[in-house]
Coordinates of all heavy atoms in Angstrom, one line a residue:
R177 N 50.6 -17.6 -29.3 CA 52.0 -17.4 -29.7 C 52.6 -18.6 -30.3 O 53.8 -18.4 -30.8 CB 52.7 -17.0 -28.4 CG 52.3 -15.7 -27.8 CD 53.1 -15.3 -26.6 NE 52.6 -14.1 -26.0 CZ 53.4 -13.1 -25.6 NH1 54.7 -13.2 -25.8 NH2 52.9 -12.0 -25.1
G178 N 52.0 -19.7 -30.3 CA 52.6 -20.9 -30.8 C 53.8 -21.4 -30.0 O 54.7 -22.0 -30.5
E179 N 53.7 -21.2 -28.7 CA 54.8 -21.6 -27.8 C 54.3 -22.7 -26.9 O 53.2 -22.9 -26.6 CB 55.2 -20.3 -27.0 CG 55.8 -19.2 -27.9 CD 56.1 -18.0 -27.1 OE1 55.8 -17.9 -25.9 OE2 56.7 -17.1 -27.7
H180 N 55.3 -23.4 -26.3 CA 55.0 -24.4 -25.4 C 56.2 -24.6 -24.4 O 57.3 -24.1 -24.6 CB 54.8 -25.8 -26.0 CG 56.0 -26.4 -26.7 ND1 56.4 -26.0 -28.0 CD2 56.9 -27.3 -26.3 CE1 57.5 -26.7 -28.3 NE2 57.8 -27.5 -27.3
A181 N 55.9 -25.2 -23.2 CA 56.9 -25.4 -22.2 C 56.5 -26.6 -21.3 O 55.3 -26.9 -21.2 CB 57.0 -24.1 -21.3
Q182 N 57.5 -27.3 -20.9 CA 57.3 -28.4 -20.0 C 57.1 -28.0 -18.6 O 57.8 -27.1 -18.1 CB 58.4 -29.4 -20.1 CG 58.7 -29.9 -21.5 CD 57.7 -30.7 -22.2 OE1 56.9 -31.4 -21.5 NE2 57.6 -30.7 -23.5
V183 N 56.1 -28.6 -17.9 CA 55.8 -28.2 -16.5 C 55.9 -29.5 -15.7 O 55.2 -30.5 -15.9 CB 54.4 -27.7 -16.4 CG1 54.1 -27.3 -14.9 CG2 54.2 -26.5 -17.3
P184 N 56.8 -29.6 -14.7 CA 56.9 -30.8 -13.8 C 55.5 -31.2 -13.3 O 54.8 -30.4 -12.7 CB 57.9 -30.3 -12.7 CG 58.7 -29.2 -13.3 CD 57.7 -28.5 -14.2
F185 N 55.2 -32.5 -13.4 CA 53.9 -33.0 -12.9 C 54.1 -34.4 -12.3 O 53.8 -35.4 -13.0 CB 52.9 -33.0 -14.1 CG 51.5 -33.1 -13.6 CD1 50.9 -32.2 -12.8 CD2 50.8 -34.2 -14.0 CE1 49.6 -32.3 -12.4 CE2 49.4 -34.4 -13.7 CZ 48.8 -33.4 -12.8
D186 N 54.7 -34.4 -11.1 CA 54.9 -35.7 -10.5 C 54.0 -35.9 -9.3 O 54.3 -35.6 -8.2 CB 56.4 -35.7 -10.0 CG 56.8 -37.1 -9.4 OD1 55.9 -38.0 -9.4 OD2 57.9 -37.2 -9.0
L187 N 52.8 -36.4 -9.6 CA 51.8 -36.6 -8.6 C 52.1 -37.7 -7.6 O 51.9 -37.6 -6.4 CB 50.4 -36.9 -9.2 CG 49.8 -35.8 -10.1 CD1 48.4 -36.3 -10.6 CD2 49.6 -34.5 -9.3
A188 N 52.8 -38.7 -8.1 CA 53.1 -39.9 -7.2 C 54.0 -39.4 -6.1 O 53.8 -40.0 -4.9 CB 53.8 -41.0 -8.1
A189 N 54.9 -38.5 -6.3 CA 55.8 -38.0 -5.2 C 55.0 -37.3 -4.1 O 55.5 -37.3 -3.0 CB 56.8 -37.1 -5.8
A190 N 53.8 -36.8 -4.5 CA 53.0 -36.2 -3.5 C 51.9 -37.1 -2.9 O 51.0 -36.6 -2.2 CB 52.3 -34.9 -4.1
G191 N 52.0 -38.4 -3.3 CA 51.0 -39.3 -2.8 C 49.6 -39.2 -3.5 O 48.6 -39.5 -2.9
L192 N 49.7 -38.7 -4.7 CA 48.5 -38.4 -5.5 C 48.4 -39.2 -6.8 O 49.5 -39.7 -7.3 CB 48.4 -36.9 -5.9 CG 48.1 -35.9 -4.7 CD1 48.4 -34.5 -5.2 CD2 46.7 -36.1 -4.2
A193 N 47.2 -39.4 -7.4 CA 47.1 -40.0 -8.7 C 46.0 -39.3 -9.4 O 45.1 -38.7 -8.8 CB 46.7 -41.5 -8.5
L194 N 46.1 -39.3 -10.7 CA 45.1 -38.7 -11.6 C 44.3 -39.8 -12.2 O 44.7 -40.6 -13.1 CB 45.7 -37.9 -12.7 CG 44.8 -37.0 -13.5 CD1 44.3 -35.8 -12.6 CD2 45.4 -36.4 -14.8
L195 N 43.1 -40.0 -11.6 CA 42.2 -41.1 -12.1 C 41.4 -40.6 -13.3 O 40.8 -39.5 -13.3 CB 41.2 -41.4 -10.9 CG 40.2 -42.5 -11.2 CD1 40.8 -43.8 -11.4 CD2 39.1 -42.5 -10.1
V196 N 41.3 -41.5 -14.3 CA 40.5 -41.2 -15.5 C 39.3 -42.2 -15.4 O 39.5 -43.4 -15.2 CB 41.3 -41.4 -16.8 CG1 40.3 -41.2 -18.0 CG2 42.4 -40.4 -16.9
A197 N 38.1 -41.7 -15.5 CA 36.9 -42.6 -15.6 C 36.2 -42.3 -16.9 O 35.7 -41.3 -17.2 CB 36.0 -42.3 -14.5
D198 N 36.3 -43.3 -17.8 CA 35.6 -43.3 -19.1 C 34.2 -43.7 -18.9 O 33.9 -44.8 -18.5 CB 36.3 -44.2 -20.1 CG 35.6 -44.4 -21.4 OD1 34.6 -43.7 -21.7 OD2 36.1 -45.2 -22.2
T199 N 33.3 -42.8 -19.1 CA 31.8 -43.0 -18.8 C 31.1 -43.9 -19.8 O 29.9 -44.2 -19.7 CB 31.1 -41.7 -18.7 OG1 31.0 -41.1 -20.0 CG2 31.7 -40.8 -17.6
N200 N 31.8 -44.4 -20.8 CA 31.2 -45.3 -21.8 C 30.1 -44.6 -22.5 O 29.1 -45.2 -22.9 CB 30.7 -46.6 -21.2 CG 31.8 -47.7 -21.3 OD1 32.3 -47.9 -22.4 ND2 32.1 -48.4 -20.2
T201 N 30.2 -43.3 -22.7 CA 29.2 -42.5 -23.5 C 30.0 -41.8 -24.6 O 30.5 -40.7 -24.5 CB 28.5 -41.5 -22.7 OG1 29.4 -40.7 -21.9 CG2 27.5 -42.1 -21.7
P202 N 30.3 -42.5 -25.7 CA 31.2 -42.0 -26.8 C 30.7 -40.7 -27.4 O 29.5 -40.4 -27.5 CB 31.2 -43.1 -27.8 CG 30.8 -44.4 -27.1 CD 29.8 -43.9 -26.1
H203 N 31.7 -39.9 -27.7 CA 31.4 -38.6 -28.3 C 32.1 -38.6 -29.7 O 33.0 -39.4 -30.0 CB 32.0 -37.4 -27.5 CG 33.5 -37.2 -27.6 ND1 34.0 -36.0 -27.9 CD2 34.5 -38.1 -27.6 CE1 35.3 -36.1 -28.0 NE2 35.6 -37.3 -27.8
Q204 N 31.7 -37.6 -30.5 CA 32.3 -37.5 -31.9 C 32.5 -36.0 -32.2 O 31.6 -35.2 -32.1 CB 31.4 -38.1 -32.9 CG 31.2 -39.6 -32.9 CD 30.5 -40.2 -34.1 OE1 29.7 -39.5 -34.7 NE2 30.7 -41.4 -34.4
H205 N 33.8 -35.7 -32.5 CA 34.1 -34.3 -32.8 C 33.5 -33.9 -34.1 O 33.2 -32.7 -34.3 CB 35.7 -34.2 -33.0 CG 36.3 -33.8 -31.7 ND1 37.7 -34.0 -31.5 CD2 35.9 -33.4 -30.5 CE1 38.0 -33.6 -30.3 NE2 36.9 -33.2 -29.6
A206 N 33.2 -34.8 -35.0 CA 32.6 -34.4 -36.3 C 31.1 -34.1 -36.2 O 30.5 -33.7 -37.1 CB 32.8 -35.5 -37.3
G207 N 30.6 -34.3 -34.9 CA 29.2 -34.0 -34.7 C 28.9 -32.5 -34.7 O 29.9 -31.7 -34.6
G208 N 27.7 -32.1 -34.7 CA 27.3 -30.7 -34.8 C 27.6 -29.8 -33.5 O 27.9 -28.6 -33.7
G209 N 27.6 -30.5 -32.3 CA 27.8 -29.7 -31.1 C 29.1 -29.0 -31.0 O 29.2 -27.8 -30.6
Y210 N 30.2 -29.7 -31.4 CA 31.5 -29.1 -31.3 C 31.6 -27.9 -32.3 O 32.1 -26.8 -31.9 CB 32.5 -30.2 -31.7 CG 34.0 -29.8 -31.4 CD1 34.6 -30.2 -30.2 CD2 34.7 -29.0 -32.3 CE1 36.0 -29.8 -30.0 CE2 36.0 -28.6 -32.1 CZ 36.6 -29.0 -30.9 OH 37.9 -28.6 -30.7
A211 N 31.2 -28.1 -33.5 CA 31.3 -27.0 -34.5 C 30.4 -25.8 -34.1 O 30.8 -24.7 -34.3 CB 30.9 -27.5 -35.9
Q212 N 29.3 -26.1 -33.5 CA 28.4 -25.0 -33.0 C 29.1 -24.2 -31.9 O 29.0 -23.0 -31.9 CB 27.1 -25.6 -32.5 CG 26.1 -24.5 -32.0 CD 24.9 -25.1 -31.4 OE1 24.6 -26.3 -31.6 NE2 24.1 -24.2 -30.8
R213 N 29.8 -24.9 -31.0 CA 30.5 -24.1 -30.0 C 31.6 -23.2 -30.6 O 31.8 -22.1 -30.1 CB 31.1 -25.1 -28.9 CG 30.1 -25.9 -28.1 CD 29.0 -25.0 -27.4 NE 28.1 -25.8 -26.6 CZ 27.0 -26.4 -27.1 NH1 26.8 -26.4 -28.4 NH2 26.2 -27.0 -26.3

Side-chain angles (χ1 to χ4, degrees):
R177 296 180 180 226
E179 297 174 353
H180 67 276
Q182 304 294 334
V183 181
F185 194 63
D186 185 359
L187 294 182
L192 291 166
L194 192 69
L195 176 68
V196 177
D198 172 6
T199 65
N200 266 311
T201 50
H203 80 131
Q204 291 187 338
H205 270 165
Y210 189 100
Q212 180 184 347
R213 296 305 183 279

